[in-house]
């Protein structure tokens, strides 16, 4: 299952046994991150009333906690990103090149 092909939302992530796979802008797998969390922002509304709807998930409880902690405690690390994979090593913007 590839996120871009099977989901109406452009999240550029695929979830599988090996972990979270970040997809490139063309929808092809670019890198897989085991034990990771993910944060995806979707725009709601238009103009000055626009806001973000945040989806936070992970491959396991630790991955979810990593993503939640980043969103709550270090939101500056995801400023201007529409999606990110969060690992022990840091934050990876998605889609990947």
């Amino acid at each position: 299952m590839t996120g871009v092909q099977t989901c109406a939302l452009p999240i550029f992530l695929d979830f599988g046994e090996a972990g979270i796979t970040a997809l490139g802008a063309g929808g092809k797998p670019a890198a897989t991150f085991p034990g990771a969390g993910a944060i995806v922002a979707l725009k709601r509304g238009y103009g000055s009333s626009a806001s973000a709807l945040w989806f936070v998930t992970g491959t396991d409880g630790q991955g979810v906690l990593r993503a939640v902690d980043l969103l709550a405690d270090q939101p500056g690390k995801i400023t201007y990103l529409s999606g990110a994979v969060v690992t022990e090593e840091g934050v990876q913007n998605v889609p990947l090149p």
Side-chain angles (χ1 to χ4, degrees):
M1 176 172 99
T2 302
V4 171
Q5 294 175 355
T6 61
C7 180
L9 305 173
I11 60 170
F12 296 99
L13 298 171
D14 188 23
F15 300 85
E17 297 282 329
I20 297 174
T21 299
L23 307 176
K28 302 232 186 280
T32 299
F33 302 92
I39 302 170
V40 178
L42 299 173
K43 182 180 169 185
R44 294 182 347 161
Y46 298 95
S48 62
S49 65
S51 61
L53 174 63
W54 296 94
F55 288 92
V56 180
T57 190
T59 58
D60 55 24
Q62 186 63 34
V64 172
L65 286 175
R66 257 189 217 105
V68 168
D69 288 346
L70 181 82
L71 185 60
D73 299 335
Q74 300 175 39
K77 289 190 173 188
I78 56 171
T79 300
Y80 305 115
L81 302 183
S82 62
V85 174
V86 185
T87 67
E88 283 185 77
E89 291 78 34
V91 179
Q92 177 64 57
N93 182 24
V94 292
L96 294 176

